[in-house]
Amino acid sequence: MCGIVAYSGRQQARGILLDGLRRLEYRGYDSSGIAILNSTPYLARAVGKVAELERRVAQDEPQGLVGIAHTRWATHGKPTELNAHPHTDCQRQIFLVHNGIIENYQALKNRLLAAGHQFRSETDTEVLVHLIENAYNGHLESAVQKALLEVQGTFGIAVVHAAHPAEVIVARRGSPIVLGISADASLAASDVSALAQHTTQVVYLEDNEIARLGPGEYSIKTLDNRAVSRSATALERVAGDLERGDFPHYMLKEIFEQPEAVENALRGRVNHSEGVAKLGGLESVLDRLSQARHLIIVSCGTSYYAGLFARYAFETLTDMTVETELASEFRYRKLNIRQNTVVLAISQSGETADTLAALREAKRKGALVLGLVNVVGSTIARETLAGVYSHAGMEVGVASTKSFTSQLTILLLMALLVGRSRDLSYEEGERILRGLEEVPGQIREILKLSDAVRELAARFCQASHFLYIGRKYQYPIALEGALKLKEVSYIHAEGYAAGEMKHGPIALIDPSFPTVALAPADGSFDKVVSNIQEILARSGPVIAITTVGNTRLASLVNHVIEVPHNVEILMPLLTVVPLQLFAYHCAVLRGCDVDKPRNLAKSVTVE
Ligand code: AGP
C-alpha cells in the first residue's frame, strides 16, 4: 500500500511529482524516491517522510519533463535507501516504482541472478525492472507486457526508460492506477488525490491493463495485447478537504467534521412522509434487496466494526439473517451463499485488497454484491453491482473517524429501507429518522467536551493496557474504541463484550489496568453496571461513557463522560466520539505522529 505518481508533460516534473507524493503520503510513509528523465537520468531516494526527499531534491533541482515517484509502505525489505523505490536495472536505464506484492519474486530472482543480473535491494519489486531489462529490445511497452505476464501477485507500476524521454508506461493488477489527462500532460497515480489539482479528466485502469502515456496523450491495452478504448470521465472535485485548516492534525479535523459527515450521509435520503430511507444507489436492485433473506457483510478494521454494528441493526429492523465476516478470512469460510444472499462490502478507501478479494469471491458464487464506500470511483465502487457513497469527504488521517460515523448512519438507512419494505412500522421508521436528524447537533455538543477528555487522557495516557467493554449495539463501539487507541497511541487495548469479561479478561484487572465502559441508559444498562461493579471490586479504574443525567454511574465511578440521549440503536453514533477524542489526546500527549501512525497506511492494497 504504497503511493505512486507519474508525469509526462511540458512542465518541470519534480514539483508536480513531489506534490503528488505529499498527497499520497497517507498510503505509506517509511521511505520515498523520485526519478526524472533528462540527458542524465536523475534518481533520489530517502528514508522517512516525503519531506526528507523534498530536502534532497530542493538541493539538486533536477530538470526534466518526465518522471515517476513513490512513497513506501514496506512489505519486503526494511525501510532503507536501497530498498526505496524507484528501482533500476543493471545499466541504470530503466526506472520503476511499484505498489503491491510479487508472490513469485524469489523464483524469478534466482533465474535472473543465474542470468547474471545484479540485485541491489531486498525487495520483491526489483525483479520487475530486471525482467523488463531482460525483455527489452527497443520497445518499452512490449518489454513491460512480457515481464508482467511472468508475474504472480499484485501490482500498480510506473516505468520510464532513458531512451524514451517522453514516455511513461503504467500497468495494474490488484493495485489501483488512475490516469489524469489534460491538453498537454498525462499523469498516473494510485488515487485521484494526486491528480485533482492538475486535471478534471480521469481514466481508471482495470486489472491486467497497461497504458502508455505521453504529453496529453494515452493509449490502453490489455497485457495480452488487445486494444482498449476508454474515454476519460469527469472527476468529482473533493477540493478543500485536503487542507488541515487551523487543526493541529487531520484526525482532530476529521473528528470535528462528523456533524457535517452525518448531515451529508442523510442529505436527500430521508423521506418523512413514508418514514423510510431513500438510497438512489440501491434503486436498481431494490426488488432483489427486499426479497433477500440472507445478508453477509464483509470488511476490515474499522469498517468491520461498522459491519458488526450493522448486524445488530439489521436484525433489529428487518427479519434478515445477518453474518459479519472479516474479509481476510472470508475465502476460508464455507458460507452458504444462495440466490437471495446479499453480500455488502464496506470500505472507506474502496481499495482494501482483502475486501476486494471477498466481494469477487461472493460474485463468483452468484450473490448480489453491494458496496458502501467513501472514495468515489474506487475499485470496490466500480466492481459492485450497486451501492451507496458515504460522502464523508476526503479522510486523510490514517485512523478512520468521520467515515465510521457516516458508515453507521448509512447502514441504519439501509436497514430502515429493507425493514420498511417488510414489517417495520411507519412510527418506528419515523422515530429513527427523527433521531438521526438530531445526531449532528448532538455530536456538536459532545465535541465541546474535547478539553475535558484531554484532561482524562492526561491522567491515563501512561497506562500500558486498556480494556473497552460494551453490550449489544455498544459492543462494536468497544472494539472500535480499543482499535483507535491502539492505532494512534500504541497503547495495548482490547475491546470485549462486557458479559464475556468474567470468562477470562477480568484476570487482567488491577489498579494499573483501566477500563472504558460503554454504559448509555438503555436496555442493557443494568447488566453493564454489574460488569463495572466486578471491575471496581478488583480496584480497576473505570472511565464510563453514559447518557446525560445518569447519576447512578456518577456515584459509582470517578470518571464519567456524558453524551446526549437518543434512540438506543442510534447511541453508538454518539458514544464513539469521546472514544475518538480520548485516543487522539492520548496519542498527542505521548508525542505520537497522530496522522501517520507507525507501521500503518490508510489504504491497505495488499493481502
Ligand atoms: C482504521 O482506523 C484503519 N485505518 C483500518 O483499520 C481501516 O479501517 C481498514 O484498513 C479498512 O479500510 P477501508 O475501510 O478503507 O477498507
Side-chain angles (χ1 to χ4, degrees):
M1 44 226 171
C2 309
I4 65 178
V5 58
Y7 174 81
S8 171
R10 309 269 178 247
Q11 296 176 54
Q12 286 301 322
R14 70 173 182 273
I16 292 169
L17 293 172
L18 289 173
D19 177 65
L21 280 191
R22 259 197 310 278
R23 292 166 185 276
L24 293 173
E25 198 168 13
Y26 65 82
R27 302 176 63 90
Y29 33 81
D30 59 41
S31 53
S32 61
I34 188 168
I36 294 175
L37 293 186
N38 56 23
S39 49
T40 317
Y42 172 80
L43 173 68
R45 301 181 286 195
V47 175
K49 304 275 172 17
V50 168
E52 290 305 315
L53 181 69
E54 284 181 300
R55 253 190 291 285
R56 192 164 299 182
V57 175
Q59 280 158 12
D60 305 336
E61 291 192 354
Q63 306 297 307
L65 309 178
V66 175
I68 56 177
H70 183 270
T71 179
R72 185 174 186 233
W73 188 92
T75 58
H76 295 70
K78 289 195 167 46
T80 64
E81 209 170 306
L82 273 181
N83 288 337
H85 302 204
H87 287 285
T88 65
D89 64 323
C90 301
Q91 315 309 321
R92 287 182 184 275
Q93 291 294 294
I94 308 173
F95 300 83
L96 176 140
V97 292
H98 168 230
N99 172 23
I101 290 182
I102 310 300
E103 286 158 11
N104 62 337
Y105 86 98
Q106 197 56 60
L108 295 169
K109 187 172 181 175
N110 296 345
R111 204 184 77 211
L112 290 159
L113 283 168
H117 286 262
Q118 270 101 42
F119 279 71
R120 300 181 188 89
S121 79
E122 305 157 300
T123 66
D124 55 330
T125 298
E126 196 183 349
V127 291
L128 292 177
V129 73
H130 290 284
L131 277 177
I132 295 167
E133 178 184 14
N134 228 28
Y136 180 74
N137 63 355
H139 192 272
L140 182 58
E141 188 176 24
S142 56
V144 175
Q145 275 174 293
K146 275 207 201 86
L148 294 178
L149 290 172
E150 298 199 57
V151 165
Q152 285 151 26
T154 59
F155 54 79
I157 62 167
V159 188
V160 292
H161 190 303
H164 304 264
E167 193 174 82
V168 178
I169 303 294
V170 296
R172 80 158 278 180
R173 183 193 297 151
S175 303
I177 291 276
V178 53
L179 312 181
I181 309 299
S182 69
D184 59 2
S186 301
L187 298 102
S190 301
D191 72 45
V192 291
S193 62
L195 307 177
Q197 58 290 354
H198 301 293
T199 175
T200 57
Q201 295 299 306
V202 295
V203 182
Y204 292 94
L205 273 199
E206 300 301 342
D207 275 355
N208 297 310
E209 288 182 349
I210 183 167
R212 182 184 163 286
L213 306 181
E217 53 164 18
Y218 71 99
S219 64
I220 304 176
K221 283 182 188 170
T222 60
L223 284 182
D224 55 4
N225 225 19
R226 281 173 289 112
V228 174
S229 87
R230 185 167 309 130
S231 47
T233 53
L235 177 65
E236 245 191 75
R237 275 217 163 281
V238 289
D241 276 14
L242 276 173
E243 310 320 316
R244 217 178 46 220
D246 302 336
F247 288 93
H249 299 101
Y250 284 104
M251 183 180 179
L252 190 64
K253 169 181 176 263
E254 288 150 9
I255 291 173
F256 273 73
E257 284 176 344
Q258 293 185 102
E260 291 76 32
V262 173
E263 280 159 358
N264 293 347
L266 292 173
R267 189 164 295 111
R269 293 169 169 169
V270 172
N271 173 344
H272 281 300
S273 59
E274 294 169 38
V276 72
K278 187 176 169 307
L279 295 166
L282 296 179
E283 259 153 31
S284 61
V285 294
L286 219 42
D287 293 353
R288 280 185 73 184
L289 192 51
S290 40
Q291 263 122 52
R293 287 275 164 273
H294 184 207
L295 171 65
I296 302 176
I297 303 171
V298 290
S299 46
C300 304
T302 287
S303 295
Y304 172 74
Y305 299 141
L308 207 52
F309 165 76
R311 183 173 74 185
Y312 290 91
F314 271 84
E315 285 174 353
T316 304
L317 301 177
T318 78
D319 55 0
M320 290 176 98
T321 306
V322 187
E323 297 175 78
T324 301
E325 298 296 328
L326 282 168
S328 53
E329 283 296 310
F330 187 72
R331 73 181 65 231
Y332 309 119
R333 299 291 318 281
K334 195 158 176 357
L335 287 160
N336 192 357
I337 292 188
R338 303 180 284 274
Q339 187 48 31
N340 63 2
T341 297
V342 173
V343 171
L344 173 64
I346 305 177
S347 175
Q348 186 288 127
S349 62
E351 300 294 351
T352 302
D354 289 320
T355 308
L356 201 49
L359 79 84
R360 288 174 176 163
E361 182 71 12
K363 273 168 94 171
R364 200 173 296 116
K365 291 195 164 78
L368 166 61
V369 178
L370 306 177
L372 168 50
V373 170
N374 189 38
V375 176
V376 175
S378 55
T379 307
I380 291 178
R382 286 181 286 116
E383 294 206 7
T384 40
L385 188 64
V388 183
Y389 280 124
S390 34
H391 295 314
M394 184 148 197
E395 191 173 65
V396 177
V398 168
S400 300
T401 52
K402 63 176 181 175
S403 67
F404 181 66
T405 38
S406 78
Q407 283 169 348
L408 298 189
T409 306
I410 291 171
L411 289 163
L412 282 157
L413 292 177
M414 280 183 175
L416 207 54
L417 177 70
V418 174
R420 289 286 292 125
S421 72
R422 299 178 193 184
D423 314 335
L424 192 68
S425 69
Y426 168 80
E427 289 70 28
E428 187 55 11
E430 259 303 272
R431 203 167 73 90
I432 292 170
L433 290 174
R434 299 263 171 231
L436 275 170
E437 287 174 333
E438 282 177 43
V439 167
Q442 294 181 320
I443 294 179
R444 286 190 180 94
E445 286 308 307
I446 298 167
L447 292 171
K448 293 178 185 156
L449 301 173
S450 184
D451 293 346
V453 175
R454 188 181 44 245
E455 277 160 35
L456 211 50
R459 291 183 70 115
F460 287 100
C461 66
Q462 295 316 321
S464 309
H465 308 280
F466 262 86
L467 191 65
Y468 285 69
I469 58 170
R471 278 178 182 265
K472 197 176 177 187
Y473 305 126
Q474 299 296 330
Y475 167 45
I477 305 306
L479 295 167
E480 173 58 8
L483 177 63
K484 287 284 101 59
L485 191 70
K486 278 182 274 209
E487 280 190 276
V488 293
S489 75
Y490 316 145
I491 299 173
H492 169 238
E494 276 195 73
Y496 247 86
E500 189 56 17
M501 191 188 56
K502 54 189 173 297
H503 301 289
I506 196 164
L508 299 167
I509 298 299
D510 67 26
S512 70
F513 202 124
T515 298
V516 175
L518 293 155
D522 60 19
S524 51
F525 176 71
D526 294 340
K527 292 209 175 336
V528 177
V529 169
S530 314
N531 299 129
I532 291 173
Q533 301 270 26
E534 290 155 6
I535 295 168
L536 295 173
R538 290 149 184 87
S539 314
V542 174
I543 299 169
I545 314 289
T546 191
T547 324
V548 169
N550 184 336
T551 50
R552 187 160 155 218
L553 261 183
S555 62
L556 211 56
V557 303
N558 304 337
H559 313 289
V560 176
I561 300 173
E562 295 186 332
V563 299
H565 180 77
N566 203 321
V567 181
E568 179 181 353
I569 197 171
L570 303 180
M571 289 305 291
L573 284 154
L574 306 179
T575 54
V576 74
V577 178
L579 304 188
Q580 297 163 341
L581 287 168
F582 185 72
Y584 169 78
H585 288 304
C586 284
V588 172
L589 290 163
R590 289 166 68 100
C592 302
D593 186 336
V594 174
D595 286 337
K596 297 193 181 76
R598 69 185 185 203
N599 305 341
L600 289 180
K602 182 70 184 168
S603 171
V604 184
T605 54
V606 292
E607 289 184 36

